[in-house]
Amino acid sequence: MSKSTGLGLTEQPQTLGDASVWIVIRAEAVELAAREPILQQLLAAQVTDTAGNDEIIARVLAARLSVAQVETGDLFDLILSTLDGDIMRKVEADLIAVRERDPACTTFLHALLNLKGFHALQTHRIAHALWVSGRPEIASWLANLVSLVFGPDIHPAARIGASIMLDHGSGIVIGETAVIEDEVSILQNVTLGGTGKETGDRHPKIRHGVMIGAGAKILGNIEIGAFSKVAAGSVVLKPVPEHCTVAGVPATLVRVHRADEIPAETMDQNI
């Protein structure tokens, strides 16, 4: 189990042997370009001919978001200027999380280029950085663009840690005061929302190692304890203890886990 630093990354980013994620991605892109010549120009522009790792993620996101009536180059400049070391460490941790947890993801390059949950999450990281730096208008515009292009509706103020997987991404809603700690997996059509018209701190707090199943709704300023699991289709209205599974409408406790079980990593949907 990795060592958490709260909302940051684990103390040292995971690596694969002696090769960093970005070295592997560049090698995967070269190999793919040789097999699929039609993708050579795209891969060169977005991966193999880039000057740095931050430029790779900036070019990929700018290309995906360029449906807006804003120049792709301007989007690229906005994203690249916002990326910093902390965000890049989280991007790398998210790539590793998707590669390890999603059996349909066979390469880091596939996650980087094709998975809209990953794209939405990284663009949220940009929007959040803009939000906390005092640029709420451009942050909100970017968050809305994410919703239109990729599907997830994530308020730019929401705080999201590292090693996160938004599986598929479709239909995910994350409210303004929501907190998601490290090493969390969230499947499609999940809502982290409020319960009505209350103001202030009104959204869920998802602790380390949690897995939230497809279609689950977690409502209100409640805590989902570390290393717990919310079963698919559940509606959670009360706090959930650590190391347990809840299921149902409304959700109730159905199982207590072993202390070493990490639902976000095992991705076991059984209850």
Side-chain angles (χ1 to χ4, degrees):
M1 183 174 68
S2 56
K3 185 176 180 182
S4 171
T5 56
L7 286 176
L9 187 57
T10 50
E11 280 194 350
Q12 291 185 353
Q14 293 172 281
T15 58
L16 303 178
D18 295 328
S20 78
V21 167
W22 302 104
I23 292 172
V24 174
I25 284 173
R26 290 177 187 274
E28 289 171 346
V30 170
E31 190 271 337
L32 178 57
R35 285 190 292 109
E36 299 288 355
I38 194 172
L39 297 176
Q40 285 181 354
Q41 185 174 355
L42 178 148
L43 291 166
Q46 296 180 19
V47 181
T48 58
D49 290 354
T50 55
N53 301 333
D54 53 352
E55 188 172 323
I56 292 177
I57 192 66
R59 289 197 180 281
V60 168
L61 295 180
R64 302 307 181 276
L65 294 166
S66 61
V67 296
Q69 291 184 340
V70 173
E71 289 292 330
T72 301
D74 293 337
L75 273 170
F76 169 77
D77 291 341
L78 175 67
I79 294 167
L80 188 62
S81 67
T82 308
L83 289 169
D84 59 18
D86 180 59
I87 294 176
M88 288 301 297
R89 285 190 293 272
K90 290 175 180 176
V91 171
E92 181 174 336
D94 296 340
L95 282 165
I96 293 171
V98 174
R99 177 70 181 86
E100 291 181 344
R101 300 175 202 167
D102 184 356
C105 182
T106 56
T107 65
F108 291 114
L109 186 65
H110 175 64
L112 176 71
L113 295 181
N114 301 321
L115 300 188
K116 59 194 175 85
F118 172 79
H119 295 151
L121 178 57
Q122 306 325 314
T123 312
H124 166 74
R125 298 198 188 284
I126 303 301
H128 181 71
L130 293 167
W131 180 274
V132 299
S133 68
R135 301 176 68 184
E137 295 84 3
I138 191 67
S140 296
W141 174 83
L142 193 57
N144 181 61
L145 187 57
V146 167
S147 180
L148 293 173
V149 175
F150 301 130
D153 191 340
I154 309 174
H155 194 286
R159 293 180 287 159
I160 301 180
S163 193
I164 307 296
M165 181 174 73
L166 303 185
D167 196 24
H168 299 290
S170 301
I172 291 175
V173 176
I174 300 175
E176 178 183 10
T177 59
V179 173
I180 301 171
E181 292 187 349
D182 296 346
E183 207 171 7
V184 170
S185 294
I186 299 177
L187 281 79
Q188 67 269 22
N189 295 314
V190 164
T191 297
L192 305 182
T195 59
K197 290 187 176 181
E198 71 270 34
T199 59
D201 193 356
R202 61 196 184 279
H203 295 108
K205 310 299 180 280
I206 312 300
R207 301 309 181 193
H208 190 112
V210 169
M211 190 201 76
I212 306 175
K217 314 301 177 189
I218 304 173
L219 305 177
N221 184 15
I222 59 175
E223 181 172 306
I224 308 300
F227 308 108
S228 287
K229 177 176 13 176
V230 178
S234 299
V235 177
V236 185
L237 302 173
K238 296 180 180 180
V240 174
E242 296 182 354
H243 300 285
C244 68
T245 293
V246 295
V249 182
T252 58
L253 192 151
V254 296
R255 185 167 71 88
V256 177
H257 304 167
R258 300 189 318 272
D260 62 349
E261 186 174 339
I262 306 176
E265 290 186 354
T266 62
M267 295 298 292
D268 183 359
Q269 305 298 307
N270 295 310
I271 60 174

